[in-house]
């Protein structure tokens, strides 16, 4: 009896050793995050969809979403993206990252990722103040226009938004929102040299899958910003146009290198309060190009 049992166990163990594991890209088989990073964007998205990924409303299984999914799993594997810290301002990217984390779970961060995160020093900005958990709940756009909400441009005026829009259209949505919030405003591609005491200014730029906003005081030379749900920072240069922006950031006192570049034309939105100091137009202000 013991001999027979031993033979059965030996056969079982041999079967376990020699049986091939399912291919990482096979439909219905769950690849690890590390395996997913070795696949193309199309293969990554196909595997995630086969394992229950839900796409946010408005996103389709197209080139944008394939590239976004590949970038997100790379960020998860490195430790740059976690359930608590997702470094995007575009709400659809945030939702997609959350949904991918639901499918992949919370994998261990590779040792090389931990080392890189621990040693990163911010390159282009300096932290403002100390960390607060409240920072998690509003993004760069909310910070720039003084509204502590994690929403995209167009939210306050009831207009739809997509990151596929041109940056000029994104600036138009910001002007519409400011109008709804009680401000006159206009967009321009020229950086103001200075502002009247009653004026404010924000700047917007976009990358392939995200956007970013900065704001300035009346000098138009001191710029601050808040990457996604992270800590506010001061831009180290007098002009937003000094160099390409990234989403480098700091979350809970740990600094992270940027994974997204914002390299479009910069649009500036100058605005001031209705029924306050400053000109009070009787018709819509035309943009300054």
């Amino acid at each position: 009896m013991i001999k027979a049992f031993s033979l059965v166990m030996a056969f079982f163990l041999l079967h376990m050793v020699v049986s091939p594991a399912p291919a990482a890209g096979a439909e219905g088989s769950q690849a690890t995050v590390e395996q997913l990073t070795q696949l193309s964007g199309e293969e990554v998205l196909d595997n995630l969809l086969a394992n229950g990924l839900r796409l946010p409303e408005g996103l389709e299984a197209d080139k944008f979403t394939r590239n976004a999914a590949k970038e997100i799993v790379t960020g998860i594997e490195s430790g740059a993206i976690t359930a608590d810290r997702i470094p995007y301002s575009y709400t659809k990217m945030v939702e997609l990252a959350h949904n991918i984390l639901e499918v992949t779970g919370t994998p261990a961060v590779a040792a090389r990722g931990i080392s890189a995160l621990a040693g990163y020093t911010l390159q282009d900005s300096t932290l403002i103040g100390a960390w607060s958990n409240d920072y998690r709940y509003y993004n760069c756009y909310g910070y720039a226009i003084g509204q502590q909400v994690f929403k995209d441009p167009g939210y306050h005026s009831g207009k739809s938004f997509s990151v596929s829009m041109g940056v000029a259209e994104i600036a138009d949505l910001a002007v519409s929102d400011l109008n709804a919030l009680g401000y006159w405003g206009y967009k321009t591609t020229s950086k103001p040299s200075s502002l009247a005491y009653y004026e404010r200014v924000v700047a917007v730029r976009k990358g392939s899958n995200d956007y970013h906003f900065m704001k300035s005081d009346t000098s138009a030379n001191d710029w601050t910003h808040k990457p996604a749900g992270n800590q506010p920072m001061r831009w180290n240069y007098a002009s937003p146009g000094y160099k390409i922006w990234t989403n480098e950031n700091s979350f809970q006192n740990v600094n992270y290198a940027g994974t997204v570049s914002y390299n479009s034309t910069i649009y500036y939105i100058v605005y001031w309060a209705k029924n306050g100091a400053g000109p009070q137009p009787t018709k819509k202000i035309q943009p300054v190009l």
Side-chain angles (χ1 to χ4, degrees):
M1 180 71 177
I2 294 175
K3 183 177 181 180
F5 177 77
S6 298
L7 288 171
V8 171
M9 286 300 296
F11 175 80
F12 175 75
L13 291 172
L14 180 63
H15 177 75
M16 290 294 291
V17 170
V18 302
S19 294
E27 183 176 350
S29 63
Q30 178 62 62
T32 66
V33 170
E34 188 171 6
Q35 288 173 323
L36 287 172
T37 63
Q38 307 304 312
L39 303 178
S40 68
E42 183 175 4
E43 291 169 327
V44 168
L45 186 59
D46 286 347
N47 187 278
L48 292 170
L49 290 171
N51 285 281
L53 174 66
R54 295 173 294 107
L55 293 183
E57 183 178 355
L59 292 191
E60 301 178 355
D62 55 13
K63 182 179 180 180
F64 170 84
T65 308
R66 292 193 292 270
N67 291 340
K70 176 63 182 283
E71 179 178 302
I72 289 167
V73 297
T74 300
I76 294 171
E77 197 268 341
S78 72
I81 294 176
T82 68
D84 290 328
R85 199 198 72 84
I86 296 174
Y88 304 107
S89 281
Y90 181 32
T91 57
K92 298 297 184 185
M93 282 291 289
V94 175
E95 186 179 352
L96 179 62
H98 274 300
N99 293 353
I100 290 175
L101 281 162
E102 286 182 356
V103 173
T104 61
T106 307
V109 179
R112 64 183 181 279
I114 295 174
S115 175
L117 296 178
Y120 183 73
T121 300
L122 295 173
Q123 301 298 304
D124 298 316
S125 295
T126 304
L127 292 177
I128 298 173
W131 170 257
S132 168
N133 282 329
D134 291 342
Y135 294 149
R136 298 167 58 186
Y137 304 112
Y138 58 105
N139 60 1
C140 68
Y141 183 52
Y143 174 79
I145 65 171
Q147 303 292 313
Q148 292 190 2
V149 293
F150 208 118
K151 298 295 182 180
D152 299 315
Y155 168 75
H156 299 284
S157 51
K159 297 185 177 182
S160 60
F161 175 86
S162 170
V163 80
S164 64
M165 291 177 168
V167 67
E169 294 176 273
I170 295 174
D172 285 338
L173 289 178
V175 171
S176 293
D177 282 350
L178 289 166
N179 181 65
L181 292 167
Y183 298 94
W184 300 111
Y186 64 89
K187 71 181 184 187
T188 175
T189 54
S190 299
K191 175 184 172 296
S193 57
S194 63
L195 297 171
Y197 73 92
Y198 52 81
E199 291 178 320
R200 305 176 191 176
V201 64
V202 300
V204 61
R205 211 172 195 179
K206 64 167 285 190
S208 60
N209 57 16
D210 200 24
Y211 60 84
H212 192 51
F213 279 80
M214 294 186 180
K215 68 177 180 178
S216 183
D217 60 13
T218 54
S219 72
N221 290 318
D222 183 20
W223 295 84
T224 62
H225 61 120
K226 180 182 177 296
N230 299 292
Q231 190 165 338
M233 303 191 291
R234 175 163 279 104
W235 182 240
N236 289 340
Y237 317 104
S239 173
Y242 179 78
K243 63 183 300 186
I244 299 298
W245 304 354
T246 74
N247 67 338
E248 69 168 357
N249 62 85
S250 185
F251 180 84
Q252 293 183 335
N253 304 310
V254 178
N255 298 333
Y256 297 83
T259 57
V260 177
S261 294
Y262 307 97
N263 53 7
S264 72
T265 298
I266 300 173
Y267 271 85
Y268 299 89
I269 298 108
V270 179
Y271 65 104
W272 60 96
K274 295 179 180 179
N275 302 315
Q280 299 297 310
T282 57
K283 59 184 180 179
K284 184 177 179 181
I285 299 172
Q286 296 303 310
V288 179
L289 300 178

